[in-house]
């Protein structure tokens, strides 16, 4: 790709081309500090220094390139120093924002946990993380207040039960999303678990893919429950008319400040082919991805520039060395059926029970109790979801009601309100150095207020709160997406608040949609911002207008496309 120089070329002189740092085009000289850090030393190598040096000498001994770079390859981010308000987020130097504690992300590919693994996370939470534990919308669990001195002991505990923090962060293949009901769902087209396991075995922690331009997000599911539309690569369950069950291949999705929906390549991939095709797409990203500017280093920008046809051609000719089979698009599926909340029948006749903590926030003691309840119900399997929820699998029918009652006594709702079920929040300013506003507590308070004020509201409504523009909580694809920023209140004082996005959604919006790729990003109403204090009033007002004006079978997102700006304000 060529980029127009900042200074216009003189007449008659060829315009100078500036490289994007693509390895495949011979650009191996680092073009920014992040690329230099990765070239200086593979991020995977920092583990030895953590174990042999930093865990003994403490935080102040940590090299800057390791602290704010390579530590991420093992799931470690410095967390935000307490007391620094959002107005200073973009002003202070990293060393001024850094606390001497870490967030540690436990990688949970496919959201799959045994009870021994869940108890190990609970133990680490209670012993080393002040009881913290957040279920993320990437099926991970994040812990806080981690000291570098304790990291080797934490790894020993987690790895002793088959868990890892390897490549949970960094410019690497991140956790692989998988259906939390893989292998048990009565509606599943194909179980993607073997492919997830094989990719993990071959490639996670492998230096072949430990230096990518940016993060690389994967989703593999035999049914549409892992936000395949917004991942770098997704394998979506389909049935080929001659070859039977397999996967449709999508590439180039992602949100943040420049959102893109993934593109279908029109290629059918069998279960056995998935790992090789995954490696081919990841290889294209490694070799052709843009490394000059980190703001343009995600795969979505390359896919947007190339288009689906060229991307597939390069994948087949340069990486797979063979043609892929053409295949069908997946059948449309409503997004509100993706979270698996409630009690459902497995294909073996047992039940699985999905429950909702408050915006993903739990704690170590609660996780330990969940493990005990699952065991008492005859289960050894728990799952995390891409919606900040949890499931217990393999429950005998006669034990369901007792389990449901015990979970709800822990405030883990199996039959939650619309607002508890569908409100999501990122980490926010409490721990995140990029955040501008608080999110978790604000979202929890919002749920309480809406449950009190709108007891009869029963339509699907997603409300996603993000502490900064980066969209970790997927604000652009929520019915009500709230992007944190500082705003002026009625007294002209600068306070925490949100820019409002309305009507975003993934996938189909009706039971009988006509377009499989009919997702949309939320609409920004001109000048519409709301303070955190006024948020309950605003959402209540909006929900009531929707109730009053909606047509039969109309969703909130559909209503926003025809509602006036006055009705949306």
């Amino acid at each position: 790709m060529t980029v127009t120089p900042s200074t216009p070329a003189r007449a008659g002189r060829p315009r100078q081309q500036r490289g994007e740092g693509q390895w495949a085009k011979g650009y191996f000289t680092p073009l920014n500090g992040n690329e230099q850090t990765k070239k200086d030393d593979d991020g995977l190598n920092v583990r030895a220094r953590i174990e042999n040096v930093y865990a003994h000498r403490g935080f102040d001994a940590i090299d800057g390139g390791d602290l704010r770079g390579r530590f991420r390859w093992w799931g470690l981010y410095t967390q935000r120093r307490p007391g620094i308000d959002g107005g200073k987020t973009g002003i202070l130097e990293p060393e001024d924002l850094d606390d001497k504690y870490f967030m540690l992300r436990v990688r949970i590919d496919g959201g799959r946990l045994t009870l021994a693994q869940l108890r190990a996370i609970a133990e680490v939470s209670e012993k080393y993380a002040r009881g913290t534990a957040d279920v993320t919308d990437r099926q991970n669990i994040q812990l806080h207040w981690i000291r570098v001195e304790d990291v080797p002991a934490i790894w020993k505990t987690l790895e002793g039960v088959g868990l890892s923090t390897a490549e949970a962060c960094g410019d690497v293949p991140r956790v692989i999303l998988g259906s939390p009901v893989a292998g048990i769902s009565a509606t599943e087209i194909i179980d993607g678990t073997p492919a997830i396991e094989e990719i993990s075995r071959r490639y996670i922690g492998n230096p072949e893919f430990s230096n990518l331009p940016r993060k690389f997000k994967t989703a593999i599911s035999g049914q549409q429950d892992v936000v395949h539309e917004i991942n770098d690569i997704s394998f979506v369950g389909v049935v080929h008319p001659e070859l039977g069950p397999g996967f449709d291949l999508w590439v180039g999705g992602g949100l943040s400040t420049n959102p893109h929906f993934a593109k279908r390549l029109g290629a059918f991939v069998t279960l056995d082919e998935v790992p090789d095709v995954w490696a081919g797409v990841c290889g294209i990203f490694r070799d052709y991805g843009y490394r000059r500017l980190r703001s343009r280093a995600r795969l979505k920008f390359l896919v947007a520039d190339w288009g689906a046809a060229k991307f597939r051609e390069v994948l087949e000719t340069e990486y797979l060395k063979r043609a892929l089979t053409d295949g069908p698009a997946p059948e449309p599926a409503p997004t509100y059926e993706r979270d698996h909340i409630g009690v459902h029948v497995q294909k073996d006749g047992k039940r699985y029970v999905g429950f909702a903590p408050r915006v993903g926030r739990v704690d170590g003691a609660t996780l330990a109790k969940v493990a005990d309840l699952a065991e008492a119900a005859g289960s050894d399997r728990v799952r995390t979801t891409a919606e900040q929820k949890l499931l217990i699998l393999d429950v005998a029918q006669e034990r369901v009601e007792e389990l449901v009652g015990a979970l709800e006594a822990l405030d883990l709702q199996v039959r939650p309100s619309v607002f508890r079920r569908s409100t999501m929040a990122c980490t926010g300013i409490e721990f995140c150095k990029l955040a501008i506003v608080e999110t978790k507590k604000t979202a929890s308070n919002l749920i309480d207020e809406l449950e009190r004020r709108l007891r009869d509201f029963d339509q699907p409504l997603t409300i996603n709160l993000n502490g900064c523009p980066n969209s970790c909580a997927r604000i652009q694809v929520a019915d009500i997406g709230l992007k944190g920023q500082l705003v002026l209140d009625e007294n002209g004082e600068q306070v925490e608040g949100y820019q409002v996005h309305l009507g975003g959604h993934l996938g189909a919006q009706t039971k009988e949609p006509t377009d499989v790729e009919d997702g949309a990003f939320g609409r920004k109403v001109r000048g519409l911002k709301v303070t955190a204090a006024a948020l309950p009033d605003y959402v209540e007002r909006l929900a009531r207008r929707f109730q009053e004006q909606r047509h039969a079978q109309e969703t909130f997102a559909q209503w926003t496309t025809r509602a006036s700006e006055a009705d949306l304000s």
Side-chain angles (χ1 to χ4, degrees):
M1 176 184 174
T2 59
V3 177
T4 304
S6 57
T7 303
R10 295 178 182 178
R13 178 178 295 180
R15 179 173 290 176
Q16 185 178 2
Q17 295 183 346
R18 181 167 57 177
E20 290 281 6
Q22 296 164 284
W23 288 0
K25 295 188 175 183
Y27 293 101
F28 294 105
T29 301
L31 297 176
N32 59 56
N34 289 283
E35 289 299 309
Q36 184 65 56
T37 295
K38 291 186 288 185
K39 184 175 182 179
D40 289 344
D41 188 31
D42 191 311
L44 294 173
N45 295 336
V46 79
R47 174 163 180 154
R49 292 191 288 280
I50 293 173
E51 292 177 320
N52 300 322
V53 180
Y54 304 141
H56 302 282
R57 298 183 184 176
F59 184 92
D60 292 336
I62 302 173
D63 170 78
D66 286 345
L67 181 65
R68 300 179 192 95
R70 303 181 194 95
F71 266 45
R72 300 176 185 182
W73 271 242
W74 287 95
L76 290 157
Y77 279 98
T78 49
Q79 64 187 41
R80 188 187 192 93
R81 183 178 298 173
I84 299 176
D85 65 59
K88 296 184 174 66
T89 295
I91 299 173
L92 296 178
E93 295 298 321
E95 57 269 21
D96 296 320
L97 285 167
D98 286 333
D99 200 0
K100 293 188 177 183
Y101 296 92
F102 294 88
M103 178 274 286
L104 179 65
R105 183 176 294 158
V106 183
R107 182 185 183 114
I108 307 174
D109 289 303
R112 296 169 296 142
L113 288 168
T114 66
L115 297 192
Q117 290 172 333
L118 186 61
R119 287 183 170 120
I121 295 172
E123 177 187 341
V124 170
S125 169
E126 290 293 288
K127 190 172 182 179
Y128 301 109
R130 301 188 187 181
T132 58
D134 288 340
V135 181
T136 77
D137 61 4
R138 297 291 303 173
Q139 296 185 285
N140 298 305
I141 293 179
Q142 293 182 172
L143 310 174
H144 296 282
W145 300 108
I146 301 296
R147 302 186 317 141
V148 71
E149 292 89 342
D150 296 326
V151 171
I154 292 170
W155 281 337
K156 183 177 180 180
T157 298
L158 295 176
E159 292 169 2
V161 292
L163 290 172
S164 176
T165 68
E167 297 187 331
C169 314
D171 296 348
V172 293
R174 301 285 186 91
V175 66
I176 303 169
L177 296 186
S179 173
V181 294
I184 66 166
S185 171
T187 59
E188 178 181 59
I189 292 173
I190 187 171
D191 182 357
T193 304
I196 294 174
E197 292 175 340
E198 186 63 10
I199 291 170
S200 298
R201 185 188 69 80
R202 290 191 205 175
Y203 302 118
I204 303 308
N206 186 333
E208 182 178 357
F209 296 123
S210 62
N211 182 353
L212 302 177
R214 285 288 300 275
K215 56 191 171 187
F216 184 75
K217 295 183 175 181
T218 303
I220 301 173
S221 178
Q223 57 190 46
Q224 297 173 46
D225 55 357
V226 290
V227 294
H228 61 275
E229 302 95 329
I230 52 172
N231 277 268
D232 293 284
I233 181 171
S234 294
F235 296 88
V236 186
V238 293
V239 178
H240 191 279
E242 286 86 34
L243 301 176
F247 297 93
D248 189 40
L249 178 60
W250 299 47
V251 298
L255 294 179
S256 192
T257 56
N258 196 326
H260 292 242
F261 285 122
K263 297 182 182 297
R264 291 188 59 241
L265 296 192
F268 178 79
V269 182
T270 68
L271 181 64
D272 290 341
E273 292 175 322
V274 169
D276 288 339
V277 173
W278 180 93
V281 173
C282 195
I284 290 176
F285 182 42
R286 176 195 61 207
D287 301 336
Y288 285 98
Y290 305 148
R291 294 175 181 261
R292 183 172 62 86
L293 298 175
R294 285 185 68 79
S295 60
R296 275 181 50 80
R298 290 292 299 276
L299 181 64
K300 62 188 178 183
F301 295 103
L302 180 67
V303 173
D305 289 343
W306 279 9
K310 179 178 178 179
F311 194 97
R312 178 172 171 176
E313 178 186 4
V314 172
L315 174 63
E316 293 175 333
T317 58
E318 295 186 27
Y319 290 82
L320 298 178
K321 308 297 184 183
R322 62 178 180 82
L324 291 167
T325 303
D326 291 340
E331 292 292 326
T335 56
Y336 55 79
E337 295 181 354
R338 295 183 178 193
D339 65 7
H340 303 295
I341 290 297
V343 178
H344 303 268
V345 180
Q346 300 178 182
K347 64 184 180 181
D348 63 1
K350 293 182 179 180
R351 306 298 192 264
Y352 71 85
V353 179
F355 50 97
R358 288 179 176 268
V359 292
R361 176 141 288 178
V362 285
D363 54 61
T366 299
L367 292 179
K369 290 175 184 176
V370 168
D372 292 342
L373 292 176
E375 184 174 40
S379 172
D380 186 46
R381 298 195 291 175
V382 172
R383 298 290 183 263
T384 57
T385 81
E387 308 294 335
Q388 297 182 333
K389 307 298 190 294
L390 291 158
L391 278 60
I392 295 175
L393 310 187
D394 308 325
V395 180
Q397 182 177 1
E398 61 270 18
R399 295 181 175 179
V400 167
E401 286 307 312
E402 180 182 358
L403 175 61
V404 170
L407 288 169
E408 296 201 335
L410 295 174
D411 195 28
L412 301 172
Q413 298 298 315
V414 179
R415 305 179 183 97
S417 69
V418 169
F419 309 111
R420 167 71 80 93
R421 180 171 184 167
S422 301
T423 299
M424 178 185 296
C426 73
T427 299
I429 202 169
E430 181 181 9
F431 296 117
C432 179
K433 294 183 296 181
L434 299 178
I436 301 168
V437 303
E438 202 283 327
T439 54
K440 292 284 191 184
K441 184 177 180 181
T442 298
S444 183
N445 291 341
L446 177 64
I447 291 168
D448 289 340
E449 282 296 308
L450 295 176
E451 288 178 341
R452 181 178 64 83
R453 301 182 189 191
L454 297 166
R455 295 179 184 276
D456 63 338
F457 190 91
D458 60 358
Q459 295 301 308
L461 182 71
T462 55
I463 306 172
N464 294 18
L465 291 80
N466 214 77
C468 77
N470 287 327
S471 201
C472 294
R474 309 201 296 251
I475 55 173
Q476 294 101 328
V477 291
D479 287 316
I480 303 175
L482 300 163
K483 181 174 74 175
Q485 57 184 232
L486 298 180
V487 302
L488 297 180
D489 66 9
E490 65 275 11
N491 299 316
E493 299 291 330
Q494 195 174 63
V495 297
E496 290 191 354
Y498 300 89
Q499 182 185 65
V500 180
H501 299 240
L502 296 172
H505 61 90
L506 298 171
Q509 282 291 289
T510 65
K511 283 286 187 180
E512 297 179 355
T514 59
D515 186 354
V516 72
E517 297 180 69
D518 69 345
F521 297 124
R523 167 188 179 185
K524 287 188 286 187
V525 179
R526 183 172 55 250
L528 179 54
K529 298 176 183 179
V530 59
T531 67
L535 190 56
D537 291 341
Y538 172 70
V539 177
E540 179 191 8
R541 184 165 67 247
L542 200 61
R544 291 193 183 280
R545 285 175 182 164
F546 168 58
Q547 282 182 308
E548 294 165 0
Q549 299 178 12
R550 72 183 291 261
H551 298 154
Q553 306 303 315
E554 188 174 38
T555 67
F556 183 88
Q558 290 167 340
W559 171 71
T560 62
T561 63
R562 66 176 182 81
S564 69
E565 289 198 356
D567 285 332
L568 299 177
S569 299

